[in-house]
């Protein structure tokens, strides 16, 4: 009935009884994980750079006079393997305050093939707990540069730079940091060179092989731990082999056949090496193009949204505070998040309530399909809420699923590619789920924030390619040993490349509820169900002639199967906000009345106040909104402290158990957890920006809003209430 | 006899201000016509809920000892479990409650002298609506008899919900509808009946009226000291009838001068100390506006007095006067004899306006907020709708004002004087919030009770007028959610500093619920003088008696006592959010399935259990090692006491 061209992007079969057993297995793996990570980190540091920090501190601005003598010696950051300095300028002033005062730190500004780096003349003061090994707090990976502004906040675009350079350069980063440099104290020649260098390397089109990953990997004896047979199975499932898919089918008790007809990427360049064929019976289709915003809409909305957080002027910040809620509303970003979550809930409803398969499709099949299908799995399957499970999910749905990371993040600044923060949108949705159901997730908010940053670090194969085939061919071509093994690059999941073990401890959520050990009798009572969800790409590449090619296929498929459409609202994505169908609402309410099971189905509340701004990611760099001594970390540190105590007590008990029975020295103390890391520092000294910003100067002043005076416009009040006196008595009403 | 007399006087105090609100009547009618334009969205202006699960939040259930609550849940009767001295006044079968979330429910409605109780037995579990009559703001008969011969009634409640009932038209036209009975008992003050707090006779282990002892609190602050003394000049409330009897004033100002200062301050509310910094001796003082008037009158006594306040703090040669009002309003007050301190007259003083609006603006803002959140949240433009109510903007201004005060005292080591017009609304908000930021004691459960008793109750925030206990005059212009706003601000700070407060969210909700419920005497009357006169401590139970009888319910399991740590909240809109757990709690969708603190409690319980087991083992081992001397490094050595970071 269907030939090989009916391509199933992926097939997920969820079979509840099995999942519970599997998750138990996953726990065992967890406990081994620490040791593995430790091993990895030792390997990683061997090939990495030395531990010397490359960051500088914000010394109190008063101590710095702009007339200060330039430093005696030029400094370099600690370069990574394969990193080459293109150009540099000394006596560059980096502003330490975001107001218009000329206060800052002098130092050297460099541009390498990996980053823009500022090396302060001052000595670094404090070791950061949460230090990224690849780049410091004054480094910006080239792919992380978002926009560059010159004097009078004029947007700099590549190509237009001639022989001029601005005296002040503002860099907005994709991780929302804002840097302001003054070039007016540097030698003209140097200033011109560094400015042009930065603009050229950050904004102008380049070829893929110019990305730092290639020279980095050629120069690192990267152990390639993920291909090492023993470790790979205990790590993130990469979904790059038939075995991985078969394993996953087994895990979910799927009734699918894994096929490898596409092992040479011949059917479609986007297709997987391993594809599963499903036995199609009852199927609903859902065309996301009809109901969700396009990738362009997503970009547009996000561009508006991010502006609220790229703050280079305190006065402006407080001015914008007045209209904060309506601005947030108008940019539509939260609404897009809500729509994606809602769509996922609808799919879950079909799977759960109606036992039907759902076929999600869109033109391209690798943007919103990835968002929705991964969200669905996150809601249904507790395995994906563990750290390794989540990484496997991203690997399966996004990397193997052919999300065009390279084009969507537009590392190469090519004009014909559609840039769009689709993956970030997914992480935003995950964050919402995590906020609403904290204990259900093994990973922390910090983990998600770091993951969202890592997309812009051009080192990891995870985010550098458009699909598996693309990756394989490029890594093979770039390999120094042609004909032999392809170039070995780290994936983002090898967190030891970026963070040491201690920092990685912050990736886990101390409040995660481990799956309680159930007796088997309970498990057997589950009714076996066939819950399937599949999605297929409806076109290969977005080239016009091929457009709609797979759409026809899908339509054909729909016709043959006689499927019903899932969409009940036919509102176009441009319309203001689709109303939640009453069915979804009822589904949520019915779920809500059941007892909460963190290892069962999770649904998000979609009502207005429930969808919120990801504070940690967006507000972390803004000094004025840092809650010193407060924020979620205050709670976290207390929880960690209690957990630490519980562990310590448990250890004591264990030890006693040993001494009492065998007189043998008890088991070794367990490795320190995130608990200890945070608890070790008094939470009073932490801020809501933890762990990204450390509050160095505790003698702080509260941020007093500057534009309070012209604040409220209480006009058009009935009876001119504002002019009336507090005392309601007759005399005051005169 | 004595009792009913006291209630009468409560009522008569009301009547003085009651005619005042002609103007506000029109504003209420505007609000009603607003509602009818929204008819498509909300079919009826009145409607409501309280689903069976929400009994968790229904104050009266909590307001009773746990055992009784349990009985209620177990019993399958149609009547409520009555409190001591509570009696059923009327009961009607086949009443329809139109719940905005579930739909029409048919059941039995009971009205007592304390509560309204509705029970629908058709559902599983049975649906119960149980609310104290004190929360009812007004009862309205909606329309005439419908085609089905039903009459419907709407109840507008003070706690951000509306309830709608319907029942068959009475065949016997002489018989009173249950809603007429309800109106009588919902507004006892207007009907010459006693407020239920005066009847309620529950006995609690602790006498909540003893929580606050002014002298003890000042002693805690180190007062009297060389600069400040406690004066008895207001012992009989003769200098100022809205102030407490204990006042703290500068040592070198004799009582006679105080009386002359009182003449220059509105309602005689002279500047008195609220809080003193334990190290710098910088103080927070509060008062009412000076009676400057159009001619710019001056008072040498008042000027000398403020100078004395400044001199009491050796660290600073400056005094900040925070006028809570917008400058325009402060200036307009000169027309009525009031005004603000001119910097010419008050040397070394700097005047700052905090731009906080008056009680009428706040009332209007809350009315809009209720429209936005109840019964359902409109899906589109939630945030814009929220912004249009200005509610959070008002919260921000109040918090910003308190932050500036706390900053001047803490960072600037400068004394501050805070006032608005009368010094009992905005001033109370500002001083109590600043004190909450400055002094960790007020962040404990008992400390917070002291703070409320001191800054709000003893300094004469007019609860009776602002809430309108038992009074049917719902359009009274004196009503305003000033205290609710303060609690909202407290909640915002607890959100930002989740480990800095000993109490939890439920504590704040409970205080608000019982402010309306009229079950406890705490929020009755307008001033200390009235409370003494009504013998409230003798005739009513204090809310703190109830709360302190089950502290674990109200305790934040993650509380870390940072003692001397000052909290500076961030007053950006980015960090303010609508208090869903209060304003939207009737909406079942917005209710969390499992309260977050539940998990923390489990964790603490686990720790306690382990601690116990370790101690047992430790004892065991000690006993053993005592009998058989083993190695030197005996296991007992390794059992170091668990280190606590607190």
């Amino acid at each position: 009935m269907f030939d090989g061209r009916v391509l199933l992007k992926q097939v997920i079969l969820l079979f509840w009884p099995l999942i519970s057993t599997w998750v138990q297995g996953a726990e065992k793996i967890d406990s081994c994980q620490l040791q593995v990570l430790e091993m990895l980190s030792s390997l990683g540091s061997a090939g990495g750079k030395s531990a010397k920090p490359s960051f500088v501190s914000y010394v109190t601005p008063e101590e710095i006079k702009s007339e200060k003598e330039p430093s005696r010696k030029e400094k370099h950051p600690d370069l990574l393997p394969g990193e080459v300095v293109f150009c540099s300028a000394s006596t560059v002033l980096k502003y330490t305050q975001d107001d218009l005062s000329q206060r800052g730190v002098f130092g050297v500004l460099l541009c390498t093939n990996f980053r823009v780096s500022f090396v302060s003349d001052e000595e670094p003061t404090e070791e950061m707990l949460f230090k990224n090994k690849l780049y410091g707090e004054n480094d910006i990976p080239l792919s992380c540069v978002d926009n560059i502004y010159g004097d009078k906040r004029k947007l700099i675009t590549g190509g237009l730079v001639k022989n001029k350079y601005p005296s002040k350069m503002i860099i907005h980063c994709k991780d929302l940091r804002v840097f302001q440099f003054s070039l007016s104290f540097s030698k003209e020649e140097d200033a011109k060179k560094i400015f042009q260098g930065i603009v050229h390397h950050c904004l102008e089109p380049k070829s893929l092989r110019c990305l730092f990953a290639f020279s980095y990997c050629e120069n690192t004896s990267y152990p390639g731990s993920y291909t090492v047979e023993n470790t790979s199975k205990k790590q993130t499932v990469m979904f790059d082999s038939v075995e991985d898919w078969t394993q996953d089918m087994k895990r979910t008790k799927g009734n699918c056949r894994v096929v490898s007809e596409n092992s040479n990427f011949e059917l479609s360049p986007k297709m997987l090496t391993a594809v599963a064929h499903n036995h199609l019976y009852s199927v609903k289709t859902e065309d996301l193009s009809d109901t969700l915003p396009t990738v362009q809409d997503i970009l547009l909305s996000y561009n508006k949204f991010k502006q609220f957080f790229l703050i280079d002027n305190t006065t402006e910040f407080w001015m914008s505070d007045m209209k904060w809620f309506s601005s947030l509303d108008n940019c539509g970003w939260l609404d897009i998040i809500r729509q994606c979550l809602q769509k996922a809930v609808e799919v879950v409803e079909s799977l759960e309530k109606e036992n039907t398969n759902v076929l999600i499709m869109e033109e391209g099949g690798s943007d919103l399909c990835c968002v929705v299908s991964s969200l669905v799995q996150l809601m249904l399957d507790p395995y994906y809420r563990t750290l390794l499970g989540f990484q496997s999910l991203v690997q399966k749905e996004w990397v193997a699923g052919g999300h065009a990371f390279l084009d969507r993040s537009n590392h190469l600044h090519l004009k014909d590619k559609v840039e769009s923060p689709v993956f970030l949108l997914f992480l935003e949705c995950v964050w919402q789920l995590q906020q609403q159901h904290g204990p259900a997730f093994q990973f922390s908010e910090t983990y998600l924030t770091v993951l969202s940053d890592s997309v812009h670090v051009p080192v990891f194969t995870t985010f550098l390619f458009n699909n598996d085939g693309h990756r394989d061919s490029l890594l093979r071509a770039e390999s120094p040993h042609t004909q032999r093994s392809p170039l070995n690059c780290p994936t983002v999941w090898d967190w030891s490349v970026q963070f040491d073990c201690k920092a990685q401890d912050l990736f886990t959520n101390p409040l995660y509820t481990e799956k309680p050990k159930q007796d088997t009798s309970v498990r057997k009572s589950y009714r076996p169900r066939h819950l399937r969800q599949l999605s297929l790409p409806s076109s290969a590449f977005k080239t016009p002639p091929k457009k709609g090619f797979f759409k026809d296929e899908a339509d054909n498929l729909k016709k043959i199967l006689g499927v019903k459409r899932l969409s009940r609202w036919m509102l176009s994505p441009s319309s203001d906000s689709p109303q939640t169908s009453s069915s979804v609402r009822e589904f949520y309410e019915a779920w809500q009345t059941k007892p909460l099971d963190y290892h069962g189905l999770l649904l998000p509340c979609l009502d207005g106040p429930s969808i919120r701004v990801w504070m940690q990611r967006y507000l972390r760099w803004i000094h004025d909104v840092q809650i010193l001594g407060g924020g979620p970390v205050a709670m976290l540190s207390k929880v960690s402290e209690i957990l630490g105590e519980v562990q310590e007590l448990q250890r004591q008990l264990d030890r006693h158990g040993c001494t009492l029975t065998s007189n043998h020295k008890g088991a070794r103390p367990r490795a320190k957890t995130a608990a200890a890391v945070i608890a070790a520092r008094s939470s009073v000294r932490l801020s809501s920006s933890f762990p990204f910003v450390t509050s160095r100067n505790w003698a702080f002043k509260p941020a007093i809003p500057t534009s309070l005076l012209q604040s409220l416009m209480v006009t058009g009040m009935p009876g001119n209430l504002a002019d009336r006196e507090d005392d309601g008595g007759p005399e005051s009403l005169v | 006899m004595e009792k009913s007399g006291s209630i009468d006087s409560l009522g008569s105090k009301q009547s003085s201000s009651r005619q005042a609100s002609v103007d506000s009547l029109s504003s209420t009618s505007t609000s009603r016509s607003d509602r009818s334009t929204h008819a498509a969205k909300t079919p009826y202006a009145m409607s409501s809920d309280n689903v069976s699960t929400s009994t968790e939040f229904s104050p009266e259930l909590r307001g009773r000892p746990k055992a009784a609550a349990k009985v209620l849940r177990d019993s399958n009767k149609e009547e409520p479990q009555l409190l001591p001295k509570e009696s059923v006044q009327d009961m009607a079968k086949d009443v329809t409650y139109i719940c905005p979330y579930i739909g029409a429910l048919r059941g039995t409605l009971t009205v007592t002298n304390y509560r309204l109780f509705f029970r629908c037995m058709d559902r599983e579990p049975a649906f119960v609506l149980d609310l104290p009559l004190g929360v009812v703001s007004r009862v309205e008969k909606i329309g005439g008899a419908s085609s089905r011969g039903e009459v419907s009634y709407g109840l507008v409640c003070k706690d951000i919900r509306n309830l709608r009932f319907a029942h068959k038209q009475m065949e016997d036209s002489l018989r009173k509808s249950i809603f007429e009975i309800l109106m009588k008992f919902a507004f006892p003050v207007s009907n010459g009946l006693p407020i239920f707090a005066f009847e309620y006779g529950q006995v609690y282990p602790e006498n909540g009226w003893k929580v606050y002892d002014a002298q003890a609190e000042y002693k805690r602050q180190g007062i009297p000291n060389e600069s400040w003394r406690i004066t008895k000049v207001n012992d009989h409330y003769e200098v100022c009838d809205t102030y407490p009897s204990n006042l703290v004033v500068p040592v070198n100002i004799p009582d006679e001068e105080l009386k002359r200062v009182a003449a220059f301050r509105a309602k005689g509310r002279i500047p008195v100390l609220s809080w003193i910094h334990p190290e710098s001796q910088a103080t927070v003082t509060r008062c009412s506006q000076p009676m400057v008037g159009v001619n710019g009158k001056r008072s040498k006594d008042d000027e000398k007095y403020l100078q004395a306040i400044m001199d009491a703090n050796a660290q600073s040669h400056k005094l900040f006067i925070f006028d809570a009002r917008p400058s325009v309003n402060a200036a307009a007050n000169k027309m009525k004899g009031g005004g603000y301190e001119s910097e010419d007259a008050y040397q070394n003083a700097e005047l700052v306006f905090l731009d906080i609006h008056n009680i009428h603006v706040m009332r209007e803002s809350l009315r809009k907020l209720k429209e936005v959140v109840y019964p359902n949240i409109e899906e589109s433009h939630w945030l814009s709708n929220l912004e249009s109510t200005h509610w959070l903007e008002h919260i921000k201004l109040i918090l910003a004002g308190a932050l500036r005060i706390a900053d001047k005292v803490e960072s600037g080591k400068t004394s501050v004087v805070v006032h608005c017009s009368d010094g009992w609304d905005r001033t109370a908000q500002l001083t109590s919030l600043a004190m909450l930021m400055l002094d960790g004691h007020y962040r404990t459960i008992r400390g917070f009770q002291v703070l409320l008793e001191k800054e709000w109750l003893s300094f004469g925030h007019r609860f009776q007028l602002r809430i309108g206990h038992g009074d049917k005059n719902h359009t009274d212009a004196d009503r305003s959610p000033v205290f609710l706003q303060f609690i909202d601000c407290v909640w915002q700070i607890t959100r930002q500093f989740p480990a800095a407060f000993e109490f939890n969210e439920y504590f704040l909700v409970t205080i608000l619920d019982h402010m309306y419920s009229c079950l406890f005497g705490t929020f009755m009357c307008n001033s200390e003088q009235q409370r003494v006169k009504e013998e409230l401590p003798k005739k009513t139970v204090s809310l703190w008696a109830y709360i302190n009888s089950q502290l674990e319910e109200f305790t934040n399991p993650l509380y870390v006592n940072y003692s001397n740590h000052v909290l500076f909240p961030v007053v950006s809109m980015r960090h303010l959010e609508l208090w869903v757990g209060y304003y939207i709690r009737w909406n079942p969708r917005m209710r969390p399935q499992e309260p977050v603190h539940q998990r923390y409690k489990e964790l603490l319980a686990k720790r306690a259990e382990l601690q116990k087991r370790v101690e047992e083992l430790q004892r065991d081992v000690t006993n053993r090692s005592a009998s058989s001397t083993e190695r030197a490094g005996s296991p007992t050595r390794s059992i170091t006491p668990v280190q606590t970071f607190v």
Side-chain angles (χ1 to χ4, degrees), chain A residues 423-567:
Chain A
F423 185 63
L424 175 65
L425 174 63
F426 164 63
L427 296 181
E428 282 263 17
C429 294
V430 177
W431 183 85
Q432 304 289 343
L433 276 168
Q434 196 193 43
Q435 283 306 293
Q436 295 187 21
H437 307 292
F441 291 85
Q442 194 193 25
F443 49 87
S444 66
E445 176 183 29
T446 301
Y447 171 83
L448 289 176
T449 305
V450 167
L451 184 56
S452 77
D453 289 344
S454 302
V455 174
H456 310 297
V457 183
V459 167
F460 311 110
T461 51
T462 320
F463 303 126
L464 284 186
F465 305 99
N466 282 332
N467 54 57
D468 276 359
H470 187 213
R471 184 191 65 219
D472 276 17
S473 61
L474 265 152
L475 288 182
R476 225 170 288 254
E478 291 298 320
S479 173
H481 331 279
T482 13
Q483 314 303 329
R484 282 182 54 220
S485 61
L487 194 61
N488 215 345
C489 280
T491 70
V492 71
W493 315 125
D494 190 351
W495 290 108
S496 61
V497 173
Q498 292 191 78
F499 298 98
D500 61 21
C501 279
K502 245 189 191 167
Q504 283 181 51
D505 284 339
L506 297 173
F507 291 172
T508 49
N509 168 17
L511 275 182
Y512 177 60
T513 2
E514 309 255 329
K515 177 89 180 163
K517 304 273 181 285
Q518 281 181 323
D519 46 48
T520 38
S521 59
V522 181
R523 235 180 286 139
K524 277 189 178 136
S525 67
Y526 279 107
R527 193 164 54 88
R529 281 162 157 192
H530 293 263
L531 303 173
R532 299 209 170 108
Q533 178 241 334
L534 24 124
S535 54
L536 86 172
S538 43
S539 84
F541 278 116
K542 266 192 100 100
T543 43
K546 275 190 179 170
K547 202 169 177 177
F549 175 77
F550 280 99
K551 191 141 177 70
D552 291 343
E553 290 297 327
D555 286 343
N556 217 4
L557 182 68
K558 277 189 268 178
K559 235 178 268 162
I560 295 161
L561 295 167
V563 292
K564 291 169 285 184
R565 286 188 54 83
L566 177 64
S567 290

Side-chain angles (χ1 to χ4, degrees), chain B residues 429-495:
Chain B
Q429 291 176 331
L430 290 168
T431 56
S432 51
L433 286 170
M435 287 158 75
L436 205 60
M437 294 174 196
L438 290 164
D439 189 340
H441 175 64
Y442 299 123
R443 292 174 224 141
T444 63
I445 291 181
R446 281 172 183 276
F448 192 74
Q449 294 169 359
V450 167
L451 184 71
L452 294 191
E453 287 281 351
K454 181 177 183 302
E455 288 302 300
W456 289 84
L457 293 159
S458 84
F459 277 99
H461 174 69
R462 306 199 292 171
F463 279 100
Q464 178 64 46
L465 279 176
R466 296 288 177 253
I467 311 299
H469 295 308
D471 182 358
K472 69 175 179 187
N473 188 5
H474 60 86
T475 57
D476 192 328
D478 268 325
R479 293 196 184 177
S480 187
V482 176
F483 185 74
L484 165 64
Q485 230 171 7
F486 159 72
I487 294 289
D488 192 328
C489 290
V490 174
W491 180 81
Q492 303 284 352
I493 306 176
T494 64
R495 287 282 299 173

